[in-house]
Amino acid sequence: MCPIDNSSKDQYQCSSSSSDASESYERSSTPISSIASEGELSQKELEAPDINNQDEIQLPTPFVPPSLCQPTTTELKSRARELPEGLGLPSVPKEDACKVVDPQDVGTPDGWIPRDSRLVRLTGKHPFNSEAKLKDLYAQGFITPSNLFFVRNHGPVPKVSEEMASDWTVRIHGLCTNPVSLTLADLRTKFRVVTTPVTLVCAGNRRKEQNVVQKSLGFSWGAAGVSTALFTGIWLSDLLEYVRPMKGAKHVIFEGCDQLPNGPYGTSQLLSWARDKRKGMMLAWAMNGLPLEPDHGFPLRLVVPSQIGGRSVKWLTRIELSDTESQHYLHFNDNKVLPMPVGPDRARGETGWWHDPRYIIRELNVNSAIACPDHDEILDTSNKSPEETFIMKGYAYAGGGRRITRVEVTLNEGHTWNLAEIQYPEDLYRTVAYSDSVYGTLDLTESDQCFCWSFWSFEVPIATLKKCKSIAVRSMDESLALQPRDMYWNATGMMNNWWFRICIHQLEGGKLQFEHPTSKFMKTSLTSCSLLTVCAVAGTQPGGWMQRVKDEGRDPSMPDFSVKNELSEKVVEKPTPAPISMTKPGNSRKVTLKDLKAHATAEHPWFVVHGEVYDATNYLDEHPGGPDSITLMSGEDATEDFMAIHSSDARKRLAEYHIGTLEEDLIPNKENLKEESSTASFLSPKNWKQVVLQNIKNISKDCKIYRFGLHRPDQELGLSIGQHIYVRMRRKLQRAELVEELVQRAYTPLWNLGDRGFVDVLVKIYYPNEQYPLGGRMTLGFSELRAGDTVELKGPIGQFTWLGDGKALLNGKEKDVRKIGMVCGGSGITPILQVLRGIFHDATDHETSVWVLDFNRHLDDILCRDELDRLAEEYGSRFGLQYSLTGKTIPEGWEYSTGRVNDEMLRTYLPSPSIDGIVCLCGTQQMVQALKASLTRLGWDGDSQVVVF
């Protein structure tokens, strides 16, 4: 368990209680090899390291992130200690840890963390996701300083004090015969401490190239989402042998302590891989000889070499051996390469793709990039002889411990290829073994696994380069996996590894300008310098040849550099995107208005979009919004509603249901033209009606109640218990110019039978975050509303209606119901509360019993609790109420449940399956799917006894 410390940065004042401050971060060191002469190591005298006395191994002292260590008396070292020069190993970074909080972090949850301003932010101010400029990263060499190591955070960084770190424990449990909780002291004394170089790579590395072709679900990583460090800790395989996995254990689940909207970050490994020492998995507490930085998992993280960075869980607190893979939200909803035909909107709407084990990413694929020449670098060849050469440089890596066996460079778009020279700095660690009191054992002498990047170079004559229009690089690993020519675009934008191409522009005066695929592309004013560089910017900024090609109306995924490349001041007008076809080719059928109206039914609904007729009969059960939103428009023109809320993927799919073209125009519904009766209720199922916002009541930090006035003070809403309404509004968005966006969604009002003249809508606002940078379109629309603004309502809709006194209408059929279980999460309480009011405010009903199980992350997130508690107290014999908190921080004295829904909770707090019983659900799509599966296991019939609001 990781409590989050909210105290100030002063907690990291370093003391010298355990050792003199002047000796902090110092360590005794002993090469395992003897020194032959003049500090030269004798390769013949290498021996296995002697680390029998584990008590001699220490954590780096003080055990505080170097960026946060504030010395009190003596200047302390905050840079990685170099390994002895005589070892001949790559040098460790020589720069001091950053000590300054970036102004962009001030006022965010991470406002206490010093960060290097050279890092390029990819997701705005918060959460922090960043990479170095490719040129800066490559210039550091084999080992990356923590200041420039790429960062992938899903939310706020846990704030762990020095005292908390000293007491840090990791719990190992589940299907093992020796479950245990171990402190950092236990880890370093019970197990062999090792250090090994590892390259970590984000699965989104080079995603920006995919986002130019088509926006994916992820943010725009450049080509520097890769970094290498010396990690110190223990082998995971040793720990697993210590706890002795039981037969039946197939997976090892890892969980951090970060607090995210859908629970802490967690993922899993196959047990067979995790216990294989050749896979190199570690529990690490140090990088480059110093404590981990907060952004990199202080005080303990998992390090998984040769797999995507998302498998290396930070702030590690729990390890579970299980017969099933991790059930963490981001284990399923991230780090997948979905099939190319599955677009972002379809991926969001059809959750089955995320749970298909075929699409999970584990090992890295083969990849490479060009670091030199840099983006926008200008090479002046006017004063160079044709015989002079230019050296291209870059990196390459592979997954699964496989070695890069070749790197090839083409100067003519792949017609011919040239072999580049490859350097393997990792191999230097195979020539010598070393140990000291902090690094433990650094010994790759018997390892043949390749866990790190390699560097390549290619020397090209200036005369040849001047004739080139582009250069590209590709690499191959020892399994003969080769980087492809073409991009495999996918909804997550992950694992992008097509050829890395650079466009060459021939400028006046014999100057060459190099243009990378992405980054900020700008004009450069030339000076007398022969070689000029302009800083490239990754992230959301436009630029690079891919965006330029796209703006010229060409396909950036199929580049043709034979087209003349000119850098000019000419502004290229963006082409209008080709319209999406929503009809079947060759379908010439004409549909009469009579035929259309004959199918204005719930069983076989036809509707019209842009004059074309569609039959939705076979799609009713699949529709993510439920069948009602379709049947409401049966026999009608649904153009405005459909176009307002459906994605390009949905529009493409609509063609499957196209049956013909309407012969004549639809006449507007007469109900929409006649004046409203003085006794009529407000809602209309076929027509939108305008209401005015009267006031807004704040309920919590992100929940509000919006009260809208009906047309008359005495007017009834016209809603039955258990039903919902559609809300539609027009948002005004400031983009290149002021534009209007039509958005709509179904809501359940907070409504009582006696209410007149108004309707209250409870809304949880989904503000922009890292996972959804634009936030919730509809809920942000609500947040922009002010008193006097208008929205439109339509309804009622819903498959369930509570008729009263033990009677309900379910999918059009009346059913006797005396036992109702209800499970909800967050704002899903609104339809639950509506039904509770209908039951307990009914003076004729004395028999119907209700059980409610309400899940929320934190105590403050429980909505309408006063009313729920009051109903439970008044109707205790008929009303069972149970809350469960799923967050890390549980308030003292909490008397209810904790944790996410499981079969045992449902068995304990809901009624048993019966003929007169039903269960109503309202929550996220993932929550509802899990609940339906659990209820089926417990004996409930998912079709006739489970209601999803």
mmCIF file of all heavy atoms in Angstrom, residues 29-46:
data_model
loop_
_atom_site.group_PDB
_atom_site.id
_atom_site.type_symbol
_atom_site.label_atom_id
_atom_site.label_comp_id
_atom_site.label_asym_id
_atom_site.label_seq_id
_atom_site.Cartn_x
_atom_site.Cartn_y
_atom_site.Cartn_z
ATOM 1 N N SER A 29 34.262 -0.011 -4.017
ATOM 2 C CA SER A 29 34.138 -0.743 -5.266
ATOM 3 C C SER A 29 35.297 -1.696 -5.442
ATOM 4 O O SER A 29 36.422 -1.412 -5.054
ATOM 5 C CB SER A 29 34.089 0.229 -6.452
ATOM 6 O OG SER A 29 35.260 1.001 -6.483
ATOM 7 N N THR A 30 34.984 -2.833 -6.050
ATOM 8 C CA THR A 30 35.997 -3.852 -6.292
ATOM 9 C C THR A 30 35.767 -4.486 -7.648
ATOM 10 O O THR A 30 34.732 -5.116 -7.859
ATOM 11 C CB THR A 30 35.924 -4.958 -5.222
ATOM 12 O OG1 THR A 30 36.014 -4.373 -3.947
ATOM 13 C CG2 THR A 30 37.045 -5.960 -5.439
ATOM 14 N N PRO A 31 36.704 -4.312 -8.590
ATOM 15 C CA PRO A 31 36.565 -5.066 -9.832
ATOM 16 C C PRO A 31 36.717 -6.551 -9.537
ATOM 17 O O PRO A 31 37.564 -6.949 -8.746
ATOM 18 C CB PRO A 31 37.719 -4.556 -10.696
ATOM 19 C CG PRO A 31 38.169 -3.280 -10.041
ATOM 20 C CD PRO A 31 37.866 -3.446 -8.588
ATOM 21 N N ILE A 32 35.906 -7.363 -10.155
ATOM 22 C CA ILE A 32 36.027 -8.798 -9.968
ATOM 23 C C ILE A 32 37.306 -9.288 -10.637
ATOM 24 O O ILE A 32 37.951 -10.206 -10.193
ATOM 25 C CB ILE A 32 34.792 -9.502 -10.558
ATOM 26 C CG1 ILE A 32 33.538 -8.981 -9.854
ATOM 27 C CG2 ILE A 32 34.887 -10.995 -10.380
ATOM 28 C CD1 ILE A 32 33.580 -9.085 -8.366
ATOM 29 N N SER A 33 37.665 -8.665 -11.754
ATOM 30 C CA SER A 33 38.917 -9.016 -12.408
ATOM 31 C C SER A 33 40.062 -8.331 -11.681
ATOM 32 O O SER A 33 39.932 -7.250 -11.161
ATOM 33 C CB SER A 33 38.897 -8.526 -13.856
ATOM 34 O OG SER A 33 37.777 -9.040 -14.514
ATOM 35 N N SER A 34 41.173 -8.994 -11.645
ATOM 36 C CA SER A 34 42.345 -8.354 -11.054
ATOM 37 C C SER A 34 42.925 -7.361 -12.035
ATOM 38 O O SER A 34 42.702 -7.434 -13.234
ATOM 39 C CB SER A 34 43.388 -9.416 -10.704
ATOM 40 O OG SER A 34 43.794 -10.093 -11.876
ATOM 41 N N ILE A 35 43.695 -6.393 -11.536
ATOM 42 C CA ILE A 35 44.322 -5.404 -12.379
ATOM 43 C C ILE A 35 45.661 -5.951 -12.853
ATOM 44 O O ILE A 35 46.528 -6.298 -12.061
ATOM 45 C CB ILE A 35 44.539 -4.093 -11.605
ATOM 46 C CG1 ILE A 35 43.204 -3.633 -11.029
ATOM 47 C CG2 ILE A 35 45.161 -3.050 -12.489
ATOM 48 C CD1 ILE A 35 42.165 -3.334 -12.059
ATOM 49 N N ALA A 36 45.868 -6.047 -14.153
ATOM 50 C CA ALA A 36 47.098 -6.642 -14.685
ATOM 51 C C ALA A 36 48.252 -5.679 -14.546
ATOM 52 O O ALA A 36 49.202 -5.935 -13.828
ATOM 53 C CB ALA A 36 46.905 -7.023 -16.146
ATOM 54 N N SER A 37 48.178 -4.554 -15.208
ATOM 55 C CA SER A 37 49.238 -3.558 -15.095
ATOM 56 C C SER A 37 48.701 -2.235 -15.595
ATOM 57 O O SER A 37 47.911 -2.195 -16.537
ATOM 58 C CB SER A 37 50.456 -3.979 -15.914
ATOM 59 O OG SER A 37 50.119 -4.070 -17.287
ATOM 60 N N GLU A 38 49.138 -1.162 -14.975
ATOM 61 C CA GLU A 38 48.722 0.180 -15.354
ATOM 62 C C GLU A 38 47.195 0.275 -15.473
ATOM 63 O O GLU A 38 46.671 0.934 -16.346
ATOM 64 C CB GLU A 38 49.371 0.577 -16.696
ATOM 65 C CG GLU A 38 50.883 0.568 -16.673
ATOM 66 C CD GLU A 38 51.453 1.603 -15.711
ATOM 67 O OE1 GLU A 38 50.804 2.658 -15.520
ATOM 68 O OE2 GLU A 38 52.524 1.356 -15.144
ATOM 69 N N GLY A 39 46.492 -0.399 -14.557
ATOM 70 C CA GLY A 39 45.027 -0.326 -14.550
ATOM 71 C C GLY A 39 44.366 -1.129 -15.651
ATOM 72 O O GLY A 39 43.169 -1.063 -15.828
ATOM 73 N N GLU A 40 45.144 -1.895 -16.400
ATOM 74 C CA GLU A 40 44.553 -2.688 -17.480
ATOM 75 C C GLU A 40 44.062 -4.012 -16.938
ATOM 76 O O GLU A 40 44.761 -4.691 -16.204
ATOM 77 C CB GLU A 40 45.610 -2.921 -18.561
ATOM 78 C CG GLU A 40 45.035 -3.596 -19.805
ATOM 79 C CD GLU A 40 46.096 -3.744 -20.869
ATOM 80 O OE1 GLU A 40 46.981 -2.872 -20.942
ATOM 81 O OE2 GLU A 40 46.043 -4.730 -21.608
ATOM 82 N N LEU A 41 42.815 -4.387 -17.274
ATOM 83 C CA LEU A 41 42.215 -5.605 -16.733
ATOM 84 C C LEU A 41 42.671 -6.823 -17.507
ATOM 85 O O LEU A 41 42.724 -6.830 -18.731
ATOM 86 C CB LEU A 41 40.688 -5.507 -16.785
ATOM 87 C CG LEU A 41 40.094 -4.424 -15.880
ATOM 88 C CD1 LEU A 41 38.598 -4.352 -16.110
ATOM 89 C CD2 LEU A 41 40.390 -4.723 -14.435
ATOM 90 N N SER A 42 42.997 -7.891 -16.782
ATOM 91 C CA SER A 42 43.380 -9.152 -17.408
ATOM 92 C C SER A 42 42.132 -9.977 -17.685
ATOM 93 O O SER A 42 41.403 -10.345 -16.777
ATOM 94 C CB SER A 42 44.314 -9.932 -16.470
ATOM 95 O OG SER A 42 44.479 -11.251 -16.941
ATOM 96 N N GLN A 43 41.874 -10.236 -18.947
ATOM 97 C CA GLN A 43 40.684 -11.002 -19.309
ATOM 98 C C GLN A 43 40.793 -12.441 -18.829
ATOM 99 O O GLN A 43 39.798 -13.116 -18.629
ATOM 100 C CB GLN A 43 40.507 -10.969 -20.824
ATOM 101 C CG GLN A 43 40.289 -9.574 -21.379
ATOM 102 C CD GLN A 43 39.070 -8.921 -20.754
ATOM 103 O OE1 GLN A 43 38.018 -9.521 -20.708
ATOM 104 N NE2 GLN A 43 39.237 -7.721 -20.249
ATOM 105 N N LYS A 44 42.001 -12.962 -18.628
ATOM 106 C CA LYS A 44 42.178 -14.352 -18.225
ATOM 107 C C LYS A 44 41.833 -14.573 -16.771
ATOM 108 O O LYS A 44 41.634 -15.703 -16.348
ATOM 109 C CB LYS A 44 43.623 -14.783 -18.483
ATOM 110 C CG LYS A 44 44.010 -14.778 -19.959
ATOM 111 C CD LYS A 44 45.449 -15.220 -20.137
ATOM 112 C CE LYS A 44 45.842 -15.237 -21.609
ATOM 113 N NZ LYS A 44 47.236 -15.653 -21.798
ATOM 114 N N GLU A 45 41.834 -13.476 -15.995
ATOM 115 C CA GLU A 45 41.664 -13.657 -14.562
ATOM 116 C C GLU A 45 40.268 -13.277 -14.089
ATOM 117 O O GLU A 45 40.051 -13.026 -12.913
ATOM 118 C CB GLU A 45 42.720 -12.832 -13.816
ATOM 119 C CG GLU A 45 44.138 -13.282 -14.142
ATOM 120 C CD GLU A 45 45.175 -12.507 -13.360
ATOM 121 O OE1 GLU A 45 44.777 -11.843 -12.375
ATOM 122 O OE2 GLU A 45 46.339 -12.552 -13.711
ATOM 123 N N LEU A 46 39.332 -13.168 -15.027
ATOM 124 C CA LEU A 46 37.958 -12.872 -14.629
ATOM 125 C C LEU A 46 37.406 -14.018 -13.800
ATOM 126 O O LEU A 46 37.574 -15.181 -14.134
ATOM 127 C CB LEU A 46 37.075 -12.690 -15.869
ATOM 128 C CG LEU A 46 37.302 -11.386 -16.653
ATOM 129 C CD1 LEU A 46 36.467 -11.425 -17.914
ATOM 130 C CD2 LEU A 46 36.934 -10.198 -15.807
#
